[in-house]
Amino acid sequence: MDGNRRYARKRQRIASSGHVSGFYRLAKVLEWCNDLGIGNVSVFAFAINNFNRTPEEVQTLMELAESKLRELAEKSDLVQRHGVRICVIGNRSLLSQGVQEAAEFAEQKTMHNRGMRLNICFPYSATDEISSAIRKVVEDVDAGKLQHAEIDEKALESRLQIPGPDLDILVRTSGQIRFSNYMLWQSVKMAYIRFVDVFWPDFSFFHMVCILISWQLAYNDIQRRKQLRK
């Protein structure tokens, strides 16, 4: 969900207004995903290195996250009518107590829902996710829960923060052609990757449909390549 700040600057607004616009675009995109029958959606809401931004912007983002997590869980039509389940993914120890409580509230409020699963990556980085999984492998070996001979790709993958199923499509907005430390492990397994030259708040249903159609056209080739990896 990249480009919120540039979206605001382009309209000569303060950066926080871009983040608010980004939240409302997320709500709209989730409606489209739900209508199209997409069962799992992960969004990169806040990177760990975003803590390097100005204290004022970080504070604004934390306050926005705390209020919107509760709003999403309590008042969102997607949650109330369609049973969306919210999962907050990432290193929560870096968050303030208030944001941690809001994340816990959103998860507890929606934990029994059986609709679309929404993974909100906040704060997250792929390298932190992978290193955390490695630490869990070491801990499980030391505790006798895992044997050395059992350490393989599946053992590590099962301890990642973002659960399966396999990633089908990864989309980055704003025109930047880079991963920015997002879902690196998941992307390497033949995910269909699209970089879209539009700020996140301007991401439209047309952009989404074009991506889905191009993925469908490439689907057979993707499946063939997956089989070759096995």
Side-chain angles (χ1 to χ4, degrees), residues 165-184:
D166 286 350
L167 177 65
D168 287 318
I169 304 172
L170 186 144
V171 178
R172 176 173 183 149
T173 56
S174 85
Q176 297 294 315
I177 304 177
R178 52 193 171 91
F179 286 92
S180 292
N181 211 349
Y182 183 55
M183 296 186 80
L184 299 181

PDB file of all heavy atoms in Angstrom, residues 165-184:
ATOM      1  N   PRO A 165      -2.360 -20.143   2.649  1.00  0.00           N
ATOM      2  CA  PRO A 165      -1.801 -20.894   1.520  1.00  0.00           C
ATOM      3  C   PRO A 165      -0.738 -20.114   0.755  1.00  0.00           C
ATOM      4  O   PRO A 165      -0.431 -18.971   1.106  1.00  0.00           O
ATOM      5  CB  PRO A 165      -3.036 -21.122   0.629  1.00  0.00           C
ATOM      6  CG  PRO A 165      -3.902 -19.930   0.909  1.00  0.00           C
ATOM      7  CD  PRO A 165      -3.715 -19.639   2.371  1.00  0.00           C
ATOM      8  N   ASP A 166      -0.154 -20.759  -0.272  1.00  0.00           N
ATOM      9  CA  ASP A 166       0.892 -20.108  -1.060  1.00  0.00           C
ATOM     10  C   ASP A 166       0.395 -18.784  -1.625  1.00  0.00           C
ATOM     11  O   ASP A 166      -0.774 -18.634  -1.984  1.00  0.00           O
ATOM     12  CB  ASP A 166       1.328 -21.005  -2.219  1.00  0.00           C
ATOM     13  CG  ASP A 166       2.178 -22.186  -1.764  1.00  0.00           C
ATOM     14  OD1 ASP A 166       2.578 -22.204  -0.582  1.00  0.00           O
ATOM     15  OD2 ASP A 166       2.437 -23.082  -2.602  1.00  0.00           O
ATOM     16  N   LEU A 167       1.308 -17.842  -1.716  1.00  0.00           N
ATOM     17  CA  LEU A 167       0.997 -16.532  -2.280  1.00  0.00           C
ATOM     18  C   LEU A 167       0.767 -16.653  -3.785  1.00  0.00           C
ATOM     19  O   LEU A 167       1.611 -17.181  -4.512  1.00  0.00           O
ATOM     20  CB  LEU A 167       2.160 -15.573  -1.999  1.00  0.00           C
ATOM     21  CG  LEU A 167       2.062 -14.164  -2.578  1.00  0.00           C
ATOM     22  CD1 LEU A 167       0.900 -13.410  -1.952  1.00  0.00           C
ATOM     23  CD2 LEU A 167       3.371 -13.409  -2.355  1.00  0.00           C
ATOM     24  N   ASP A 168      -0.371 -16.178  -4.253  1.00  0.00           N
ATOM     25  CA  ASP A 168      -0.672 -16.186  -5.690  1.00  0.00           C
ATOM     26  C   ASP A 168      -0.193 -14.918  -6.379  1.00  0.00           C
ATOM     27  O   ASP A 168       0.475 -14.966  -7.406  1.00  0.00           O
ATOM     28  CB  ASP A 168      -2.181 -16.342  -5.921  1.00  0.00           C
ATOM     29  CG  ASP A 168      -2.678 -17.747  -5.630  1.00  0.00           C
ATOM     30  OD1 ASP A 168      -1.995 -18.712  -6.016  1.00  0.00           O
ATOM     31  OD2 ASP A 168      -3.743 -17.880  -4.999  1.00  0.00           O
ATOM     32  N   ILE A 169      -0.584 -13.769  -5.816  1.00  0.00           N
ATOM     33  CA  ILE A 169      -0.305 -12.483  -6.466  1.00  0.00           C
ATOM     34  C   ILE A 169       0.249 -11.501  -5.441  1.00  0.00           C
ATOM     35  O   ILE A 169      -0.282 -11.379  -4.337  1.00  0.00           O
ATOM     36  CB  ILE A 169      -1.579 -11.882  -7.086  1.00  0.00           C
ATOM     37  CG1 ILE A 169      -2.233 -12.859  -8.065  1.00  0.00           C
ATOM     38  CG2 ILE A 169      -1.265 -10.571  -7.802  1.00  0.00           C
ATOM     39  CD1 ILE A 169      -3.601 -12.398  -8.562  1.00  0.00           C
ATOM     40  N   LEU A 170       1.317 -10.793  -5.803  1.00  0.00           N
ATOM     41  CA  LEU A 170       1.831  -9.695  -4.981  1.00  0.00           C
ATOM     42  C   LEU A 170       1.775  -8.415  -5.812  1.00  0.00           C
ATOM     43  O   LEU A 170       2.279  -8.377  -6.929  1.00  0.00           O
ATOM     44  CB  LEU A 170       3.267  -9.983  -4.531  1.00  0.00           C
ATOM     45  CG  LEU A 170       3.851  -8.956  -3.541  1.00  0.00           C
ATOM     46  CD1 LEU A 170       4.757  -9.642  -2.525  1.00  0.00           C
ATOM     47  CD2 LEU A 170       4.626  -7.847  -4.252  1.00  0.00           C
ATOM     48  N   VAL A 171       1.146  -7.390  -5.252  1.00  0.00           N
ATOM     49  CA  VAL A 171       0.981  -6.114  -5.949  1.00  0.00           C
ATOM     50  C   VAL A 171       1.658  -5.013  -5.142  1.00  0.00           C
ATOM     51  O   VAL A 171       1.444  -4.890  -3.940  1.00  0.00           O
ATOM     52  CB  VAL A 171      -0.513  -5.761  -6.137  1.00  0.00           C
ATOM     53  CG1 VAL A 171      -0.654  -4.416  -6.828  1.00  0.00           C
ATOM     54  CG2 VAL A 171      -1.228  -6.853  -6.917  1.00  0.00           C
ATOM     55  N   ARG A 172       2.472  -4.213  -5.832  1.00  0.00           N
ATOM     56  CA  ARG A 172       3.016  -3.015  -5.192  1.00  0.00           C
ATOM     57  C   ARG A 172       2.579  -1.794  -5.994  1.00  0.00           C
ATOM     58  O   ARG A 172       2.752  -1.738  -7.218  1.00  0.00           O
ATOM     59  CB  ARG A 172       4.546  -3.053  -5.132  1.00  0.00           C
ATOM     60  CG  ARG A 172       5.053  -1.729  -4.542  1.00  0.00           C
ATOM     61  CD  ARG A 172       6.497  -1.659  -4.272  1.00  0.00           C
ATOM     62  NE  ARG A 172       6.793  -0.366  -3.648  1.00  0.00           N
ATOM     63  CZ  ARG A 172       7.749  -0.160  -2.777  1.00  0.00           C
ATOM     64  NH1 ARG A 172       8.502  -1.159  -2.395  1.00  0.00           N
ATOM     65  NH2 ARG A 172       7.942   1.038  -2.276  1.00  0.00           N
ATOM     66  N   THR A 173       2.029  -0.828  -5.289  1.00  0.00           N
ATOM     67  CA  THR A 173       1.603   0.411  -5.936  1.00  0.00           C
ATOM     68  C   THR A 173       2.708   1.466  -5.865  1.00  0.00           C
ATOM     69  O   THR A 173       3.764   1.242  -5.284  1.00  0.00           O
ATOM     70  CB  THR A 173       0.335   0.949  -5.261  1.00  0.00           C
ATOM     71  OG1 THR A 173       0.585   1.117  -3.852  1.00  0.00           O
ATOM     72  CG2 THR A 173      -0.833  -0.007  -5.443  1.00  0.00           C
ATOM     73  N   SER A 174       2.464   2.605  -6.476  1.00  0.00           N
ATOM     74  CA  SER A 174       3.272   3.832  -6.435  1.00  0.00           C
ATOM     75  C   SER A 174       4.353   3.909  -7.502  1.00  0.00           C
ATOM     76  O   SER A 174       5.049   4.907  -7.607  1.00  0.00           O
ATOM     77  CB  SER A 174       3.913   4.072  -5.054  1.00  0.00           C
ATOM     78  OG  SER A 174       5.137   3.360  -4.921  1.00  0.00           O
ATOM     79  N   GLY A 175       4.509   2.855  -8.312  1.00  0.00           N
ATOM     80  CA  GLY A 175       5.498   2.910  -9.381  1.00  0.00           C
ATOM     81  C   GLY A 175       6.886   2.473  -8.982  1.00  0.00           C
ATOM     82  O   GLY A 175       7.782   2.375  -9.833  1.00  0.00           O
ATOM     83  N   GLN A 176       7.112   2.203  -7.707  1.00  0.00           N
ATOM     84  CA  GLN A 176       8.410   1.722  -7.241  1.00  0.00           C
ATOM     85  C   GLN A 176       8.562   0.243  -7.589  1.00  0.00           C
ATOM     86  O   GLN A 176       7.686  -0.566  -7.284  1.00  0.00           O
ATOM     87  CB  GLN A 176       8.535   1.912  -5.726  1.00  0.00           C
ATOM     88  CG  GLN A 176       8.499   3.361  -5.263  1.00  0.00           C
ATOM     89  CD  GLN A 176       9.716   4.127  -5.742  1.00  0.00           C
ATOM     90  OE1 GLN A 176      10.842   3.650  -5.654  1.00  0.00           O
ATOM     91  NE2 GLN A 176       9.493   5.340  -6.252  1.00  0.00           N
ATOM     92  N   ILE A 177       9.687  -0.120  -8.214  1.00  0.00           N
ATOM     93  CA  ILE A 177       9.911  -1.509  -8.626  1.00  0.00           C
ATOM     94  C   ILE A 177      10.912  -2.141  -7.659  1.00  0.00           C
ATOM     95  O   ILE A 177      12.109  -2.280  -7.950  1.00  0.00           O
ATOM     96  CB  ILE A 177      10.389  -1.583 -10.084  1.00  0.00           C
ATOM     97  CG1 ILE A 177       9.379  -0.869 -10.993  1.00  0.00           C
ATOM     98  CG2 ILE A 177      10.548  -3.040 -10.537  1.00  0.00           C
ATOM     99  CD1 ILE A 177       9.789  -0.809 -12.449  1.00  0.00           C
ATOM    100  N   ARG A 178      10.431  -2.495  -6.498  1.00  0.00           N
ATOM    101  CA  ARG A 178      11.233  -3.156  -5.472  1.00  0.00           C
ATOM    102  C   ARG A 178      10.296  -3.785  -4.452  1.00  0.00           C
ATOM    103  O   ARG A 178       9.143  -3.394  -4.318  1.00  0.00           O
ATOM    104  CB  ARG A 178      12.199  -2.177  -4.800  1.00  0.00           C
ATOM    105  CG  ARG A 178      11.566  -0.907  -4.281  1.00  0.00           C
ATOM    106  CD  ARG A 178      12.623   0.139  -3.934  1.00  0.00           C
ATOM    107  NE  ARG A 178      12.036   1.431  -3.639  1.00  0.00           N
ATOM    108  CZ  ARG A 178      11.674   1.850  -2.436  1.00  0.00           C
ATOM    109  NH1 ARG A 178      11.828   1.052  -1.380  1.00  0.00           N
ATOM    110  NH2 ARG A 178      11.158   3.044  -2.243  1.00  0.00           N
ATOM    111  N   PHE A 179      10.825  -4.770  -3.713  1.00  0.00           N
ATOM    112  CA  PHE A 179      10.013  -5.500  -2.746  1.00  0.00           C
ATOM    113  C   PHE A 179       9.922  -4.805  -1.392  1.00  0.00           C
ATOM    114  O   PHE A 179       8.973  -5.025  -0.640  1.00  0.00           O
ATOM    115  CB  PHE A 179      10.580  -6.911  -2.535  1.00  0.00           C
ATOM    116  CG  PHE A 179      10.316  -7.841  -3.675  1.00  0.00           C
ATOM    117  CD1 PHE A 179      11.230  -7.973  -4.704  1.00  0.00           C
ATOM    118  CD2 PHE A 179       9.149  -8.579  -3.720  1.00  0.00           C
ATOM    119  CE1 PHE A 179      10.983  -8.836  -5.760  1.00  0.00           C
ATOM    120  CE2 PHE A 179       8.891  -9.442  -4.767  1.00  0.00           C
ATOM    121  CZ  PHE A 179       9.819  -9.570  -5.799  1.00  0.00           C
ATOM    122  N   SER A 180      10.927  -3.998  -1.057  1.00  0.00           N
ATOM    123  CA  SER A 180      10.967  -3.299   0.229  1.00  0.00           C
ATOM    124  C   SER A 180      10.799  -4.264   1.401  1.00  0.00           C
ATOM    125  O   SER A 180      10.090  -3.982   2.366  1.00  0.00           O
ATOM    126  CB  SER A 180       9.904  -2.189   0.285  1.00  0.00           C
ATOM    127  OG  SER A 180      10.224  -1.156  -0.624  1.00  0.00           O
ATOM    128  N   ASN A 181      11.451  -5.444   1.288  1.00  0.00           N
ATOM    129  CA  ASN A 181      11.508  -6.393   2.407  1.00  0.00           C
ATOM    130  C   ASN A 181      10.125  -6.919   2.780  1.00  0.00           C
ATOM    131  O   ASN A 181       9.815  -7.101   3.953  1.00  0.00           O
ATOM    132  CB  ASN A 181      12.162  -5.726   3.622  1.00  0.00           C
ATOM    133  CG  ASN A 181      12.928  -6.719   4.477  1.00  0.00           C
ATOM    134  OD1 ASN A 181      12.820  -7.930   4.286  1.00  0.00           O
ATOM    135  ND2 ASN A 181      13.670  -6.219   5.440  1.00  0.00           N
ATOM    136  N   TYR A 182       9.315  -7.202   1.768  1.00  0.00           N
ATOM    137  CA  TYR A 182       7.957  -7.701   2.020  1.00  0.00           C
ATOM    138  C   TYR A 182       7.756  -9.073   1.398  1.00  0.00           C
ATOM    139  O   TYR A 182       7.960  -9.262   0.199  1.00  0.00           O
ATOM    140  CB  TYR A 182       6.921  -6.728   1.450  1.00  0.00           C
ATOM    141  CG  TYR A 182       5.488  -7.119   1.732  1.00  0.00           C
ATOM    142  CD1 TYR A 182       5.052  -7.348   3.037  1.00  0.00           C
ATOM    143  CD2 TYR A 182       4.561  -7.261   0.705  1.00  0.00           C
ATOM    144  CE1 TYR A 182       3.733  -7.710   3.308  1.00  0.00           C
ATOM    145  CE2 TYR A 182       3.238  -7.614   0.970  1.00  0.00           C
ATOM    146  CZ  TYR A 182       2.835  -7.830   2.277  1.00  0.00           C
ATOM    147  OH  TYR A 182       1.538  -8.193   2.538  1.00  0.00           O
ATOM    148  N   MET A 183       7.369 -10.042   2.217  1.00  0.00           N
ATOM    149  CA  MET A 183       7.007 -11.389   1.780  1.00  0.00           C
ATOM    150  C   MET A 183       8.043 -11.986   0.826  1.00  0.00           C
ATOM    151  O   MET A 183       7.706 -12.554  -0.222  1.00  0.00           O
ATOM    152  CB  MET A 183       5.607 -11.390   1.148  1.00  0.00           C
ATOM    153  CG  MET A 183       4.512 -11.011   2.124  1.00  0.00           C
ATOM    154  SD  MET A 183       2.819 -11.174   1.458  1.00  0.00           S
ATOM    155  CE  MET A 183       2.549 -12.940   1.628  1.00  0.00           C
ATOM    156  N   LEU A 184       9.310 -11.898   1.194  1.00  0.00           N
ATOM    157  CA  LEU A 184      10.377 -12.409   0.334  1.00  0.00           C
ATOM    158  C   LEU A 184      10.313 -13.927   0.210  1.00  0.00           C
ATOM    159  O   LEU A 184      10.475 -14.476  -0.883  1.00  0.00           O
ATOM    160  CB  LEU A 184      11.746 -11.976   0.877  1.00  0.00           C
ATOM    161  CG  LEU A 184      11.998 -10.465   0.965  1.00  0.00           C
ATOM    162  CD1 LEU A 184      13.390 -10.194   1.501  1.00  0.00           C
ATOM    163  CD2 LEU A 184      11.806  -9.804  -0.400  1.00  0.00           C
TER     164      LEU A 184
END
